[in-house]
């Protein structure tokens, strides 16, 4: 089969289209003929060697796949050959290929009315958005939410789900006019440019007492500013570090407001039996109903994976980037 992988860490041009043997499903695995794969910042992090753990080489990126089950491994029950499924691989690998392995416990049936692009757009990012708001932040109706990277795939889904769950004021941060318009369309009441040094004051002026929830995937100065806006019993959850600049947390600052900070990684959700499959099934159902509207930025052929990575790194994408074999 054809696959894209890299043998060394580095810029996008380390990605190579190669011929390799198709994988064999092991216990609990589904072998999927890939209809489409999703591109995520974790793929960039793996390629640069900046993810949470070292990248084993050679490496095939691609944590999300959607396609048809063509074989099942030992111990799989409830799935059969011919099922159309999508899901997220805990290994964060394997999707940029004509065939890929997907553990049964992190996959869900995709309704026939839901496109592969839309299913992938709400797989990693949708499950992340859902659990940021529920499992981590425990958002209550009427609470205010501040979202960084609000014009991205995950940020937009956070806004849509937060609105569906009954949030109060929704405030987004987005770096371009196109992304700010996308955030407004996804439900943000106000959207600010994080490059504007006055944005923290403008947010503070809108929220007497501070923000209830701050969800951040950027880090650096933006994260520090967001922490400074937390109100009494506010919660900040970090789920990425796009800036590459971690920030210190000063406990005394949190104590004064009874505020809390936490981190989120979707892999731990995937370790909980049945949770990921149910989450994805619910999200695909919302897409089928028209209650959740993912945004697709672009689709690239497998052979154009370098261009897909460069497009993501340009920060110009508004929505999900798809790779098709």
């Amino acid at each position: 089969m054809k696959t894209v992988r890299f043998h060394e860490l580095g810029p996008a041009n380390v990605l190579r289209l190669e011929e390799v043997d198709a994988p064999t499903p092991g216990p609990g695995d589904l072998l999927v003929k890939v209809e489409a794969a999703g591109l995520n910042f974790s793929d960039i992090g793996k390629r640069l060697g900046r993810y949470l753990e070292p990248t084993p080489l050679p490496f095939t990126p691609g944590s999300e796949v959607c396609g048809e089950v063509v074989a099942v491994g030992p111990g799989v029950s409830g799935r059969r050959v011919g099922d159309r499924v999508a899901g997220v691989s805990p290994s964060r690998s394997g999707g940029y290929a004509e065939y890929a392995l997907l553990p049964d416990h992190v996959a869900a049936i995709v309704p026939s009315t839901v496109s592969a692009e839309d299913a992938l757009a709400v797989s990693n990012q949708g499950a992340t958005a859902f659990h940021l708001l529920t499992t981590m932040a425990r958002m209550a109706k009427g609470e205010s939410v501040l979202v960084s990277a609000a014009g991205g795939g995950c940020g937009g889904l956070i806004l849509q789900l937060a609105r569906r769950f009954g949030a109060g004021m929704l405030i987004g941060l987005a770096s371009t006019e196109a992304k700010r318009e996308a955030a407004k369309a996804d439900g943000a009441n106000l959207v600010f440019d994080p490059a504007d040094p006055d944005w923290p004051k403008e947010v503070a002026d809108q929220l007497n007492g501070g923000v209830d929830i701050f969800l951040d995937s950027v880090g650096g100065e933006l994260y520090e500013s967001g922490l400074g806006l937390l109100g009494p019993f506010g919660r900040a959850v970090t789920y990425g570090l796009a800036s590459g600049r971690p920030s210190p947390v000063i406990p005394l600052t949190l104590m004064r407001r009874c505020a809390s900070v936490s981190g989120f990684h979707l892999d731990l959700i995937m370790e909980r039996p049945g949770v990921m499959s149910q989450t994805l099934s619910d999200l695909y159902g919302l897409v089928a109903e028209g209650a959740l509207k993912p945004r697709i930025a672009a689709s690239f052929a497998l052979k154009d994976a370098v261009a897909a990575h460069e497009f993501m790194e340009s920060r110009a994408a508004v929505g999900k980037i798809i790779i098709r074999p």
Side-chain angles (χ1 to χ4, degrees):
M1 69 171 189
K2 289 183 174 62
T3 189
V4 168
R5 58 183 183 170
F6 53 88
H7 296 258
E8 60 181 319
L9 304 179
N13 62 14
V14 301
L15 297 170
R16 297 283 184 268
L17 183 65
E18 299 179 348
E19 289 274 353
V20 300
D21 292 334
T24 300
D29 284 339
L30 307 173
L31 179 62
V32 175
K33 183 179 181 181
V34 178
E35 183 179 349
L39 199 163
N40 293 286
F41 268 108
S42 61
D43 299 344
I44 307 294
K46 286 279 191 181
R47 197 196 73 224
L48 295 172
R50 296 176 186 168
Y51 202 60
L52 298 176
E53 63 278 326
T55 306
L57 298 174
F59 187 80
T60 297
S63 61
E64 301 166 296
V65 296
C66 177
E68 179 185 344
V69 176
V70 294
V72 299
V76 172
S77 61
R79 310 273 186 233
R80 57 176 183 240
V81 171
D83 282 346
R84 183 170 180 250
V85 300
V88 184
S89 169
S91 68
R92 305 275 161 184
S93 66
Y96 295 11
E98 293 178 313
Y99 293 89
L101 295 177
L102 188 62
D104 179 46
H105 73 280
V106 294
I109 298 291
V110 179
S112 60
T113 56
V114 176
S115 69
E117 288 89 348
D118 284 352
L120 292 170
V122 300
S123 293
N124 191 331
Q125 279 98 341
T128 296
F130 177 86
H131 287 286
L132 283 170
L133 289 165
T134 59
T135 305
M136 300 304 299
R138 294 179 174 84
M139 192 200 84
K141 287 185 178 180
E143 287 194 310
S144 58
V145 184
L146 172 64
V147 184
S148 70
C154 190
L157 293 171
I158 290 172
L159 292 169
Q160 290 187 46
L161 288 172
R163 182 65 69 206
R164 182 177 179 82
F165 297 159
M169 178 72 76
L170 288 177
I171 300 176
L173 300 172
S175 58
T176 68
E177 187 59 35
K179 292 183 178 183
R180 289 190 283 276
E181 289 302 315
K184 291 175 186 175
D186 285 329
N189 300 102
L190 298 168
V191 187
F192 298 101
D193 183 351
D196 180 352
D198 292 331
W199 78 261
K201 180 182 182 303
E202 294 187 44
V203 172
D205 289 345
Q206 294 292 329
L207 294 169
N208 270 338
V211 68
D212 295 306
I213 295 169
F214 171 43
L215 304 177
D216 177 55
S217 61
V218 177
E221 292 181 7
L222 186 150
Y223 182 66
E224 292 179 32
S225 296
L227 287 185
L229 291 166
L230 286 179
F233 302 98
R235 288 90 72 202
V237 188
T238 181
Y239 64 102
L241 194 66
S243 70
R245 300 192 300 274
S247 300
V249 175
I250 302 172
L252 187 60
T253 303
L254 302 175
M255 289 169 56
R256 287 173 177 154
R257 284 167 285 165
C258 291
S260 61
V261 297
S262 60
F264 177 76
H265 191 238
L266 191 60
D267 279 11
L268 291 183
I269 294 295
M270 290 190 259
E271 291 177 6
R272 302 166 73 177
V275 173
M276 189 65 177
S277 290
Q278 187 59 57
T279 300
L280 293 178
S281 182
D282 291 346
L283 290 169
Y284 300 156
L286 290 174
V287 174
E289 295 168 14
L292 194 62
K293 298 179 180 179
R295 195 180 302 276
I296 308 302
S299 182
F300 291 82
L302 191 63
K303 65 181 179 63
D304 296 323
V306 170
H309 272 230
E310 289 175 341
F311 182 47
M312 173 166 274
E313 289 180 288
S314 75
R315 305 297 175 92
V318 181
K320 187 70 176 177
I321 300 173
I322 302 295
I323 292 180
R324 282 186 169 272

